Amino acid sequence: MTDERTPTGVPGLDELIGGGIPRGHVVLIMGGPGSGKTILCSQFLYNGAAQYGERGLFVTLDEPREDIQAEMRPFGWDFERLEAEEKFAFLDASPFGMRSSRSFKPITARSLGDEIRRLAKKIRVDRIAIDPVAALLFHYPDVAERRNAILQLIESVRSTGATCLLTLELRAAGLEREVQVEEYLAHGVLILRTLKSGSNLVRAVQVEKMRGTHIDLQPRPYIIGSDGIEVYPEETIF
Ligand SMILES: Nc1ncnc2c1ncn2[C@@H]1O[C@H](COP(=O)(O)OP(=O)(O)O)[C@@H](O)[C@H]1O
Ligand SMILES: [Mg+2]
């Protein structure tokens, strides 16, 4: 394992995780709907390319690529331009994208992993985001099969050497048993939540785990603003 870090491209976040994600690690981003998971993935990939010259692959499993491109434009993230410069690629494995694609049909952990590996090699990616992975795991209701599927996917992305974000919907405030399989298998886990601070509700990010890293366990506030996500690593919630 190397000590090299991948800066997240999210102001304030690297301070919580020792300077960035260890290169080649797979980090799970857990949060409820609207918590900013898709924005975080996009920011990681866009700033990765724009600020650090790293190539990215966005694997979308629910929203079609056109929707993501449109939603990220207000932040100034022009993925079409990055694609034209061959710094970025979309793998649209959404139900919508799959319908219009002839070349890539099946959606199993193996077929997806193979396709990711092929694309990662083709454009030599440094960063991958898979959003949201639950859309795939949905096909594996059995816990043992699900564990195998996620292991297979993690193995596929690890073999590319790229640093990877996987998102997962967090429904309940507490962590359910079925979620713990993914958490256990990933190198790192970040949780995006809405917490009560006095009479206000604030967005907070908590680092649950980051292997090989000294972490800040405190939930820290973050905002979604005109430049995307910003974390306030010095501020407390309670
Ligand atoms: N241009 C914007 N400026 C500020 N906040 C935004 C903007 N666009 C979206 N948001 C916020 O981001 C949320 C959606 O983020 P998203 O990453 O799609 O969530 P998730 O993928 O976790 O469901 C919205 O609910 C909204 O609060
Ligand atoms: Mg999303």
mmCIF file of all heavy atoms in Angstrom, residues 4-15 19-21 23 42-56 82 85 87 124-127 163:
data_model
loop_
_atom_site.group_PDB
_atom_site.id
_atom_site.type_symbol
_atom_site.label_atom_id
_atom_site.label_comp_id
_atom_site.label_asym_id
_atom_site.label_seq_id
_atom_site.Cartn_x
_atom_site.Cartn_y
_atom_site.Cartn_z
ATOM 1 N N GLU A 4 0.411 7.577 -0.761
ATOM 2 C CA GLU A 4 -0.071 8.646 -1.625
ATOM 3 C C GLU A 4 -1.560 8.895 -1.400
ATOM 4 O O GLU A 4 -2.329 7.950 -1.209
ATOM 5 C CB GLU A 4 0.139 8.226 -3.078
ATOM 6 C CG GLU A 4 0.683 9.315 -3.959
ATOM 7 C CD GLU A 4 0.727 8.821 -5.393
ATOM 8 O OE1 GLU A 4 1.267 7.730 -5.619
ATOM 9 O OE2 GLU A 4 0.179 9.516 -6.239
ATOM 10 N N ARG A 5 -1.956 10.166 -1.417
ATOM 11 C CA ARG A 5 -3.356 10.520 -1.155
ATOM 12 C C ARG A 5 -4.013 11.108 -2.388
ATOM 13 O O ARG A 5 -3.367 11.809 -3.163
ATOM 14 C CB ARG A 5 -3.439 11.551 -0.033
ATOM 15 C CG ARG A 5 -2.807 11.092 1.265
ATOM 16 C CD ARG A 5 -3.839 10.462 2.168
ATOM 17 N NE ARG A 5 -3.208 9.548 3.101
ATOM 18 C CZ ARG A 5 -3.874 8.926 4.065
ATOM 19 N NH1 ARG A 5 -5.161 9.102 4.223
ATOM 20 N NH2 ARG A 5 -3.248 8.097 4.863
ATOM 21 N N THR A 6 -5.301 10.843 -2.519
ATOM 22 C CA THR A 6 -6.096 11.459 -3.577
ATOM 23 C C THR A 6 -6.910 12.580 -2.953
ATOM 24 O O THR A 6 -7.814 12.307 -2.152
ATOM 25 C CB THR A 6 -7.057 10.413 -4.197
ATOM 26 O OG1 THR A 6 -6.290 9.317 -4.691
ATOM 27 C CG2 THR A 6 -7.854 11.026 -5.335
ATOM 28 N N PRO A 7 -6.607 13.847 -3.283
ATOM 29 C CA PRO A 7 -7.420 14.939 -2.728
ATOM 30 C C PRO A 7 -8.845 14.799 -3.239
ATOM 31 O O PRO A 7 -9.055 14.476 -4.411
ATOM 32 C CB PRO A 7 -6.767 16.203 -3.286
ATOM 33 C CG PRO A 7 -5.505 15.777 -3.960
ATOM 34 C CD PRO A 7 -5.601 14.317 -4.239
ATOM 35 N N THR A 8 -9.830 15.023 -2.359
ATOM 36 C CA THR A 8 -11.214 14.787 -2.767
ATOM 37 C C THR A 8 -11.746 15.864 -3.709
ATOM 38 O O THR A 8 -12.721 15.614 -4.420
ATOM 39 C CB THR A 8 -12.145 14.742 -1.541
ATOM 40 O OG1 THR A 8 -11.978 15.957 -0.802
ATOM 41 C CG2 THR A 8 -11.812 13.555 -0.658
ATOM 42 N N GLY A 9 -11.143 17.070 -3.684
ATOM 43 C CA GLY A 9 -11.691 18.157 -4.487
ATOM 44 C C GLY A 9 -12.839 18.856 -3.785
ATOM 45 O O GLY A 9 -13.480 19.734 -4.358
ATOM 46 N N VAL A 10 -13.103 18.445 -2.529
ATOM 47 C CA VAL A 10 -14.149 19.065 -1.712
ATOM 48 C C VAL A 10 -13.462 19.884 -0.626
ATOM 49 O O VAL A 10 -12.799 19.312 0.245
ATOM 50 C CB VAL A 10 -15.053 17.991 -1.060
ATOM 51 C CG1 VAL A 10 -16.088 18.633 -0.147
ATOM 52 C CG2 VAL A 10 -15.715 17.134 -2.125
ATOM 53 N N PRO A 11 -13.583 21.227 -0.667
ATOM 54 C CA PRO A 11 -12.903 22.045 0.337
ATOM 55 C C PRO A 11 -13.276 21.613 1.759
ATOM 56 O O PRO A 11 -14.451 21.435 2.060
ATOM 57 C CB PRO A 11 -13.423 23.463 0.043
ATOM 58 C CG PRO A 11 -13.846 23.434 -1.386
ATOM 59 C CD PRO A 11 -14.332 22.033 -1.645
ATOM 60 N N GLY A 12 -12.269 21.404 2.582
ATOM 61 C CA GLY A 12 -12.487 21.063 3.987
ATOM 62 C C GLY A 12 -12.544 19.575 4.280
ATOM 63 O O GLY A 12 -12.290 19.142 5.403
ATOM 64 N N LEU A 13 -12.865 18.774 3.286
ATOM 65 C CA LEU A 13 -13.045 17.337 3.556
ATOM 66 C C LEU A 13 -11.718 16.615 3.800
ATOM 67 O O LEU A 13 -11.616 15.764 4.692
ATOM 68 C CB LEU A 13 -13.814 16.674 2.405
ATOM 69 C CG LEU A 13 -14.110 15.178 2.543
ATOM 70 C CD1 LEU A 13 -14.865 14.862 3.833
ATOM 71 C CD2 LEU A 13 -14.916 14.668 1.339
ATOM 72 N N ASP A 14 -10.691 16.995 3.039
ATOM 73 C CA ASP A 14 -9.408 16.301 3.187
ATOM 74 C C ASP A 14 -8.826 16.465 4.593
ATOM 75 O O ASP A 14 -8.091 15.602 5.066
ATOM 76 C CB ASP A 14 -8.400 16.811 2.145
ATOM 77 C CG ASP A 14 -8.831 16.455 0.731
ATOM 78 O OD1 ASP A 14 -9.677 15.554 0.584
ATOM 79 O OD2 ASP A 14 -8.333 17.080 -0.212
ATOM 80 N N GLU A 15 -9.166 17.584 5.249
ATOM 81 C CA GLU A 15 -8.677 17.825 6.609
ATOM 82 C C GLU A 15 -9.178 16.763 7.595
ATOM 83 O O GLU A 15 -8.561 16.530 8.619
ATOM 84 C CB GLU A 15 -9.129 19.214 7.100
ATOM 85 C CG GLU A 15 -8.251 20.353 6.621
ATOM 86 C CD GLU A 15 -8.704 20.928 5.283
ATOM 87 O OE1 GLU A 15 -9.165 20.156 4.419
ATOM 88 O OE2 GLU A 15 -8.579 22.158 5.108
ATOM 89 N N GLY A 19 -5.581 14.348 4.721
ATOM 90 C CA GLY A 19 -5.060 14.920 3.484
ATOM 91 C C GLY A 19 -5.687 14.389 2.210
ATOM 92 O O GLY A 19 -5.454 14.914 1.123
ATOM 93 N N GLY A 20 -6.471 13.332 2.328
ATOM 94 C CA GLY A 20 -7.130 12.781 1.142
ATOM 95 C C GLY A 20 -7.362 11.294 1.306
ATOM 96 O O GLY A 20 -6.996 10.708 2.327
ATOM 97 N N ILE A 21 -7.961 10.693 0.295
ATOM 98 C CA ILE A 21 -8.224 9.249 0.336
ATOM 99 C C ILE A 21 -6.957 8.517 -0.113
ATOM 100 O O ILE A 21 -6.355 8.895 -1.114
ATOM 101 C CB ILE A 21 -9.380 8.894 -0.633
ATOM 102 C CG1 ILE A 21 -10.659 9.647 -0.240
ATOM 103 C CG2 ILE A 21 -9.614 7.387 -0.659
ATOM 104 C CD1 ILE A 21 -11.745 9.600 -1.313
ATOM 105 N N ARG A 23 -4.613 6.504 -2.125
ATOM 106 C CA ARG A 23 -4.774 6.188 -3.544
ATOM 107 C C ARG A 23 -5.118 4.710 -3.744
ATOM 108 O O ARG A 23 -4.546 3.840 -3.106
ATOM 109 C CB ARG A 23 -3.491 6.523 -4.300
ATOM 110 C CG ARG A 23 -3.598 6.314 -5.794
ATOM 111 C CD ARG A 23 -2.552 7.110 -6.547
ATOM 112 N NE ARG A 23 -2.699 8.539 -6.320
ATOM 113 C CZ ARG A 23 -3.564 9.330 -6.988
ATOM 114 N NH1 ARG A 23 -4.357 8.818 -7.900
ATOM 115 N NH2 ARG A 23 -3.625 10.609 -6.721
ATOM 116 N N SER A 42 -19.637 13.906 -8.417
ATOM 117 C CA SER A 42 -19.342 14.767 -9.563
ATOM 118 C C SER A 42 -18.189 15.720 -9.251
ATOM 119 O O SER A 42 -17.304 15.934 -10.084
ATOM 120 C CB SER A 42 -20.582 15.597 -9.923
ATOM 121 O OG SER A 42 -21.675 14.753 -10.149
ATOM 122 N N GLN A 43 -18.203 16.258 -8.043
ATOM 123 C CA GLN A 43 -17.164 17.200 -7.615
ATOM 124 C C GLN A 43 -15.801 16.505 -7.531
ATOM 125 O O GLN A 43 -14.782 17.057 -7.958
ATOM 126 C CB GLN A 43 -17.565 17.769 -6.244
ATOM 127 C CG GLN A 43 -16.776 18.977 -5.803
ATOM 128 C CD GLN A 43 -17.420 19.654 -4.585
ATOM 129 O OE1 GLN A 43 -18.557 19.355 -4.226
ATOM 130 N NE2 GLN A 43 -16.692 20.556 -3.958
ATOM 131 N N PHE A 44 -15.805 15.298 -6.993
ATOM 132 C CA PHE A 44 -14.598 14.467 -6.892
ATOM 133 C C PHE A 44 -13.992 14.249 -8.281
ATOM 134 O O PHE A 44 -12.777 14.404 -8.479
ATOM 135 C CB PHE A 44 -15.006 13.142 -6.238
ATOM 136 C CG PHE A 44 -13.975 12.058 -6.212
ATOM 137 C CD1 PHE A 44 -12.868 12.142 -5.374
ATOM 138 C CD2 PHE A 44 -14.129 10.913 -6.996
ATOM 139 C CE1 PHE A 44 -11.935 11.111 -5.327
ATOM 140 C CE2 PHE A 44 -13.199 9.890 -6.957
ATOM 141 C CZ PHE A 44 -12.095 9.982 -6.129
ATOM 142 N N LEU A 45 -14.859 13.941 -9.247
ATOM 143 C CA LEU A 45 -14.360 13.661 -10.596
ATOM 144 C C LEU A 45 -14.021 14.943 -11.353
ATOM 145 O O LEU A 45 -12.986 15.031 -12.013
ATOM 146 C CB LEU A 45 -15.393 12.848 -11.384
ATOM 147 C CG LEU A 45 -15.697 11.457 -10.824
ATOM 148 C CD1 LEU A 45 -16.793 10.786 -11.644
ATOM 149 C CD2 LEU A 45 -14.449 10.577 -10.802
ATOM 150 N N TYR A 46 -14.902 15.936 -11.245
ATOM 151 C CA TYR A 46 -14.663 17.161 -12.003
ATOM 152 C C TYR A 46 -13.404 17.885 -11.509
ATOM 153 O O TYR A 46 -12.512 18.205 -12.286
ATOM 154 C CB TYR A 46 -15.868 18.112 -11.955
ATOM 155 C CG TYR A 46 -15.644 19.253 -12.904
ATOM 156 C CD1 TYR A 46 -15.985 19.143 -14.241
ATOM 157 C CD2 TYR A 46 -14.989 20.412 -12.474
ATOM 158 C CE1 TYR A 46 -15.704 20.156 -15.139
ATOM 159 C CE2 TYR A 46 -14.698 21.431 -13.370
ATOM 160 C CZ TYR A 46 -15.061 21.298 -14.690
ATOM 161 O OH TYR A 46 -14.760 22.296 -15.576
ATOM 162 N N ASN A 47 -13.332 18.131 -10.203
ATOM 163 C CA ASN A 47 -12.152 18.811 -9.662
ATOM 164 C C ASN A 47 -10.901 17.951 -9.790
ATOM 165 O O ASN A 47 -9.794 18.468 -9.942
ATOM 166 C CB ASN A 47 -12.389 19.233 -8.206
ATOM 167 C CG ASN A 47 -13.354 20.408 -8.113
ATOM 168 O OD1 ASN A 47 -13.626 21.060 -9.113
ATOM 169 N ND2 ASN A 47 -13.868 20.668 -6.918
ATOM 170 N N GLY A 48 -11.087 16.652 -9.730
ATOM 171 C CA GLY A 48 -9.955 15.745 -9.946
ATOM 172 C C GLY A 48 -9.317 16.024 -11.298
ATOM 173 O O GLY A 48 -8.083 16.073 -11.435
ATOM 174 N N ALA A 49 -10.153 16.207 -12.311
ATOM 175 C CA ALA A 49 -9.647 16.476 -13.660
ATOM 176 C C ALA A 49 -9.161 17.911 -13.785
ATOM 177 O O ALA A 49 -8.054 18.173 -14.266
ATOM 178 C CB ALA A 49 -10.733 16.182 -14.689
ATOM 179 N N ALA A 50 -10.010 18.858 -13.301
ATOM 180 C CA ALA A 50 -9.699 20.277 -13.517
ATOM 181 C C ALA A 50 -8.515 20.742 -12.672
ATOM 182 O O ALA A 50 -7.683 21.518 -13.144
ATOM 183 C CB ALA A 50 -10.933 21.125 -13.212
ATOM 184 N N GLN A 51 -8.430 20.262 -11.416
ATOM 185 C CA GLN A 51 -7.386 20.774 -10.518
ATOM 186 C C GLN A 51 -6.153 19.877 -10.424
ATOM 187 O O GLN A 51 -5.070 20.334 -10.105
ATOM 188 C CB GLN A 51 -7.959 20.965 -9.101
ATOM 189 C CG GLN A 51 -9.095 21.985 -9.056
ATOM 190 C CD GLN A 51 -9.741 22.052 -7.671
ATOM 191 O OE1 GLN A 51 -9.285 21.416 -6.722
ATOM 192 N NE2 GLN A 51 -10.819 22.816 -7.568
ATOM 193 N N TYR A 52 -6.358 18.570 -10.635
ATOM 194 C CA TYR A 52 -5.229 17.655 -10.415
ATOM 195 C C TYR A 52 -4.843 16.870 -11.668
ATOM 196 O O TYR A 52 -3.995 15.981 -11.609
ATOM 197 C CB TYR A 52 -5.556 16.686 -9.265
ATOM 198 C CG TYR A 52 -5.943 17.412 -7.997
ATOM 199 C CD1 TYR A 52 -7.273 17.494 -7.594
ATOM 200 C CD2 TYR A 52 -4.976 18.045 -7.215
ATOM 201 C CE1 TYR A 52 -7.642 18.187 -6.440
ATOM 202 C CE2 TYR A 52 -5.321 18.738 -6.071
ATOM 203 C CZ TYR A 52 -6.663 18.804 -5.686
ATOM 204 O OH TYR A 52 -7.011 19.495 -4.553
ATOM 205 N N GLY A 53 -5.522 17.159 -12.778
ATOM 206 C CA GLY A 53 -5.177 16.477 -14.030
ATOM 207 C C GLY A 53 -5.430 14.975 -13.993
ATOM 208 O O GLY A 53 -4.762 14.210 -14.688
ATOM 209 N N GLU A 54 -6.411 14.539 -13.177
ATOM 210 C CA GLU A 54 -6.701 13.102 -13.084
ATOM 211 C C GLU A 54 -7.944 12.749 -13.889
ATOM 212 O O GLU A 54 -8.942 13.450 -13.851
ATOM 213 C CB GLU A 54 -6.886 12.713 -11.611
ATOM 214 C CG GLU A 54 -5.632 12.954 -10.796
ATOM 215 C CD GLU A 54 -5.625 12.178 -9.492
ATOM 216 O OE1 GLU A 54 -6.656 11.572 -9.143
ATOM 217 O OE2 GLU A 54 -4.573 12.175 -8.842
ATOM 218 N N ARG A 55 -7.873 11.631 -14.574
ATOM 219 C CA ARG A 55 -9.008 11.212 -15.397
ATOM 220 C C ARG A 55 -10.046 10.482 -14.561
ATOM 221 O O ARG A 55 -9.694 9.733 -13.655
ATOM 222 C CB ARG A 55 -8.533 10.266 -16.489
ATOM 223 C CG ARG A 55 -7.626 10.909 -17.509
ATOM 224 C CD ARG A 55 -7.038 9.811 -18.375
ATOM 225 N NE ARG A 55 -5.691 10.149 -18.729
ATOM 226 C CZ ARG A 55 -5.367 10.736 -19.884
ATOM 227 N NH1 ARG A 55 -6.278 10.996 -20.766
ATOM 228 N NH2 ARG A 55 -4.113 11.040 -20.129
ATOM 229 N N GLY A 56 -11.323 10.711 -14.917
ATOM 230 C CA GLY A 56 -12.401 10.130 -14.121
ATOM 231 C C GLY A 56 -13.414 9.347 -14.918
ATOM 232 O O GLY A 56 -13.610 9.586 -16.112
ATOM 233 N N LEU A 82 -14.985 18.024 -20.591
ATOM 234 C CA LEU A 82 -13.984 17.074 -20.099
ATOM 235 C C LEU A 82 -13.945 15.818 -20.966
ATOM 236 O O LEU A 82 -12.889 15.255 -21.223
ATOM 237 C CB LEU A 82 -14.295 16.661 -18.656
ATOM 238 C CG LEU A 82 -13.990 17.640 -17.529
ATOM 239 C CD1 LEU A 82 -14.214 16.955 -16.185
ATOM 240 C CD2 LEU A 82 -12.557 18.160 -17.605
ATOM 241 N N GLU A 85 -12.136 16.411 -24.077
ATOM 242 C CA GLU A 85 -10.690 16.454 -23.824
ATOM 243 C C GLU A 85 -10.139 15.093 -23.394
ATOM 244 O O GLU A 85 -8.978 14.974 -23.001
ATOM 245 C CB GLU A 85 -10.388 17.499 -22.729
ATOM 246 C CG GLU A 85 -10.696 18.927 -23.144
ATOM 247 C CD GLU A 85 -10.629 19.908 -21.968
ATOM 248 O OE1 GLU A 85 -10.435 19.468 -20.804
ATOM 249 O OE2 GLU A 85 -10.772 21.125 -22.216
ATOM 250 N N LYS A 87 -10.672 13.425 -20.709
ATOM 251 C CA LYS A 87 -10.289 13.357 -19.296
ATOM 252 C C LYS A 87 -11.376 12.700 -18.471
ATOM 253 O O LYS A 87 -11.282 12.612 -17.249
ATOM 254 C CB LYS A 87 -10.073 14.774 -18.760
ATOM 255 C CG LYS A 87 -8.841 15.453 -19.295
ATOM 256 C CD LYS A 87 -8.753 16.853 -18.742
ATOM 257 C CE LYS A 87 -7.556 17.600 -19.295
ATOM 258 N NZ LYS A 87 -7.750 19.055 -19.190
ATOM 259 N N ARG A 124 -7.422 5.161 -19.072
ATOM 260 C CA ARG A 124 -6.443 5.213 -17.965
ATOM 261 C C ARG A 124 -6.952 6.113 -16.830
ATOM 262 O O ARG A 124 -6.372 7.156 -16.531
ATOM 263 C CB ARG A 124 -5.084 5.702 -18.482
ATOM 264 C CG ARG A 124 -4.392 4.649 -19.362
ATOM 265 C CD ARG A 124 -3.107 5.157 -19.951
ATOM 266 N NE ARG A 124 -3.337 6.116 -21.006
ATOM 267 C CZ ARG A 124 -2.847 7.346 -21.021
ATOM 268 N NH1 ARG A 124 -2.111 7.793 -20.031
ATOM 269 N NH2 ARG A 124 -3.116 8.152 -22.038
ATOM 270 N N VAL A 125 -8.028 5.680 -16.179
ATOM 271 C CA VAL A 125 -8.646 6.534 -15.163
ATOM 272 C C VAL A 125 -7.914 6.462 -13.825
ATOM 273 O O VAL A 125 -7.336 5.445 -13.451
ATOM 274 C CB VAL A 125 -10.146 6.205 -14.927
ATOM 275 C CG1 VAL A 125 -10.949 6.432 -16.175
ATOM 276 C CG2 VAL A 125 -10.339 4.823 -14.389
ATOM 277 N N ASP A 126 -7.958 7.588 -13.121
ATOM 278 C CA ASP A 126 -7.384 7.696 -11.778
ATOM 279 C C ASP A 126 -8.476 7.675 -10.723
ATOM 280 O O ASP A 126 -8.216 7.411 -9.557
ATOM 281 C CB ASP A 126 -6.633 9.020 -11.656
ATOM 282 C CG ASP A 126 -5.584 9.181 -12.743
ATOM 283 O OD1 ASP A 126 -4.611 8.415 -12.712
ATOM 284 O OD2 ASP A 126 -5.759 10.053 -13.621
ATOM 285 N N ARG A 127 -9.700 8.036 -11.146
ATOM 286 C CA ARG A 127 -10.826 8.153 -10.213
ATOM 287 C C ARG A 127 -12.077 7.532 -10.823
ATOM 288 O O ARG A 127 -12.348 7.741 -12.001
ATOM 289 C CB ARG A 127 -11.141 9.624 -9.921
ATOM 290 C CG ARG A 127 -9.986 10.373 -9.298
ATOM 291 C CD ARG A 127 -10.286 11.854 -9.178
ATOM 292 N NE ARG A 127 -9.140 12.505 -8.561
ATOM 293 C CZ ARG A 127 -9.214 13.340 -7.531
ATOM 294 N NH1 ARG A 127 -10.384 13.675 -7.027
ATOM 295 N NH2 ARG A 127 -8.122 13.849 -7.009
ATOM 296 N N THR A 163 -8.828 5.462 -7.475
ATOM 297 C CA THR A 163 -9.487 5.732 -6.202
ATOM 298 C C THR A 163 -10.985 5.820 -6.482
ATOM 299 O O THR A 163 -11.393 6.459 -7.447
ATOM 300 C CB THR A 163 -8.971 7.057 -5.608
ATOM 301 O OG1 THR A 163 -7.544 6.988 -5.569
ATOM 302 C CG2 THR A 163 -9.525 7.281 -4.201
#
